[in-house]
């Protein structure tokens, strides 16, 4: 066994005795006979091998044993500060992490943090993504991740702008399909219960219809179409029928009386109401649809 590996085992033993982590002072005190340059070489090898992970507490670097079940994808050719930031960003997953949270966890000053983030962006290891919930703020995530819908707004947003016309067109076409199913069922000459059954359709049925129409330039999945179908239900033009298997069927219904005001208000049919908040891009105060409805 070479000298660096021997020193490495000594560092591992020390780190195991202190699960909260060890710093350079702990290493210097415990490995007094080891030259500093050899100690650094052994530390770097353990970091590159993924045995230790590096954190920052205040202005002090902390080394601790890495959880075997938690594997980092950090490249081996980045420096310690870049590795700290990379690991923090990696923990954010596809929902990303705000720069403020990165600063708190890394304890780096803003100028140094911006420099490290820029370096990682230039190396195409991380990327900054604008959130629909706060257009002036960015979240950071690993470069190869697809942002979560809560960040991009899903199919209903294009460059952080809500596609109201697109949603309206889909709403109309989904309702048209439900009515076509209802009319076809009525023309079958079957009894009332059979007609009702024939009028019902699954989200998959609607998804095929919309896909065949080719009205969307982007790929829509069944969850997207179910969101639109819910707006048709909120309009009072369809009903949603729960199934034993946990799924739902949809059926067009007649609307002999006007829908109540609460259903007519934009909030009742808004497919992005979950993104509406007191601050950010989507708020009741900035909503033109509520203003028009109130007028």
């Amino acid at each position: 066994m070479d000298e660096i590996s021997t020193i490495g085992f000594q560092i591992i033993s020390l780190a195991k005795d202190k699960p909260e982590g060890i710093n350079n002072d702990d290493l210097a005190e415990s490995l007094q006979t080891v030259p500093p340059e050899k100690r650094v070489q052994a530390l770097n090898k353990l970091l590159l091998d993924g045995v230790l992970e590096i954190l920052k507490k205040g202005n002090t670097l902390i080394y601790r044993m890495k959880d075997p079940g938690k594997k980092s994808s950090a490249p081996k050719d980045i420096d310690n500060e870049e590795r700290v930031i990379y690991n923090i960003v990696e923990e954010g997953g596809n929902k990303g992490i705000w720069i403020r949270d990165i600063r708190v966890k890394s304890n780096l000053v803003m100028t140094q943090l911006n420099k490290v983030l820029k370096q990682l962006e230039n190396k195409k290891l991380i990327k900054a993504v604008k959130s629909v919930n706060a257009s002036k703020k960015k979240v950071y995530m690993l470069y190869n991740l697809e942002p979560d819908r809560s960040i991009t707004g899903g199919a209903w947003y294009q460059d952080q702008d809500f596609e109201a016309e697109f949603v309206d067109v889909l709403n109309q076409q989904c309702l048209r399909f439900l009515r076509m199913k209802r009319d076809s069922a009525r023309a079958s000459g079957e009894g009332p219960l059979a007609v009702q059954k024939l009028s019902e359709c699954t989200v998959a049925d609607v998804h095929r219809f919309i896909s065949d129409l080719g009205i969307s330039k982007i790929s829509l999945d069944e969850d997207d179409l179910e969101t639109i179908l819910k707006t048709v239900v909120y309009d009072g033009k369809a009903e949603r029928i729960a199934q034993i298997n946990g799924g739902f069927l949809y059926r067009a219904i007649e609307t002999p009386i006007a829908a109540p005001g609460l259903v007519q208000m934009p909030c009742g049919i808004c497919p992005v109401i979950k993104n509406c908040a007191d601050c950010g891009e989507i708020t009741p105060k900035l909503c033109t649809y509520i203003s028009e409805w109130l007028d």
Side-chain angles (χ1 to χ4, degrees), residues 58-229:
N59 293 320
T60 306
L61 289 176
I62 301 293
Y63 309 94
R64 71 181 182 192
M65 294 297 295
K66 192 168 186 180
D67 183 353
K70 178 184 170 186
K71 294 184 178 180
S72 172
S73 58
K76 295 184 177 182
D77 59 346
I78 59 178
D79 63 36
N80 286 340
E81 281 191 344
E82 290 176 337
R83 190 177 301 277
V84 169
I85 300 304
Y86 183 95
N87 289 337
I88 292 172
V89 172
E90 185 177 31
E91 288 175 3
N94 65 346
K95 291 189 176 180
I97 183 169
W98 301 106
I99 189 169
R100 181 191 62 184
D101 296 329
I102 299 175
R103 182 170 61 82
V104 170
K105 289 187 176 184
S106 67
N107 208 42
L108 288 176
V109 295
M110 206 63 196
T111 51
Q112 182 63 17
L113 176 57
N114 284 328
K115 179 183 175 183
V116 175
L117 286 171
K118 194 67 179 175
Q119 289 170 346
L120 291 172
E121 284 188 86
N122 290 338
K123 292 177 181 179
K124 295 191 182 302
L125 296 176
I126 66 171
K127 61 183 175 183
V129 180
K130 286 185 178 180
S131 171
V132 295
N133 294 319
S135 60
K136 294 183 180 179
K137 293 183 179 180
K138 295 182 291 187
V139 295
Y140 288 88
M141 64 184 65
L142 296 188
Y143 189 80
N144 61 338
L145 292 182
E146 187 69 26
D148 187 81
R149 285 175 178 233
S150 62
I151 301 299
T152 63
W156 321 129
Y157 280 82
Q158 179 69 33
D159 298 327
Q160 280 71 53
D161 292 325
F162 179 56
E163 296 284 347
E165 291 184 9
F166 179 49
V167 170
D168 190 47
V169 168
L170 287 175
N171 179 290
Q172 293 173 16
Q173 292 304 319
C174 286
L175 177 59
R176 182 165 77 93
F177 177 73
L178 295 180
R179 286 176 171 170
M180 285 167 54
K181 285 280 290 183
R182 182 193 62 193
D183 295 342
S184 175
R186 287 175 176 175
S188 67
E190 300 287 344
L193 291 177
V195 168
Q196 180 175 327
K197 203 70 179 172
L198 290 171
S199 300
E200 298 167 355
C201 63
T202 64
V203 177
D205 295 331
V206 179
H207 183 260
R208 278 193 296 272
F209 174 74
I210 296 297
S211 298
D212 291 343
L213 284 179
I215 58 176
S216 176
K217 294 179 181 178
I218 60 174
S219 177
L220 298 173
D221 58 27
E222 290 186 11
D223 287 339
D224 293 326
L225 269 302
E226 184 151 32
T227 299
I228 297 297
L229 283 168

Side-chain angles (χ1 to χ4, degrees), residues 259-279:
L262 188 62
V263 174
Q264 289 180 343
M265 69 181 296
C267 304
I269 60 172
C270 181
V272 291
I273 191 170
K274 65 181 180 181
N275 294 327
C276 191
D278 294 334
C279 60

Side-chain angles (χ1 to χ4, degrees), residues 3-17 22 27 30-31 33-34 46:
E3 185 182 3
I4 299 301
S5 296
T6 302
I7 298 169
F9 278 110
Q10 290 177 285
I11 294 173
I12 291 172
S13 178
L14 185 60
K16 286 181 177 178
D17 290 338
I22 55 177
L27 291 169
S30 300
L31 305 175
T33 60
V34 177
L46 291 173

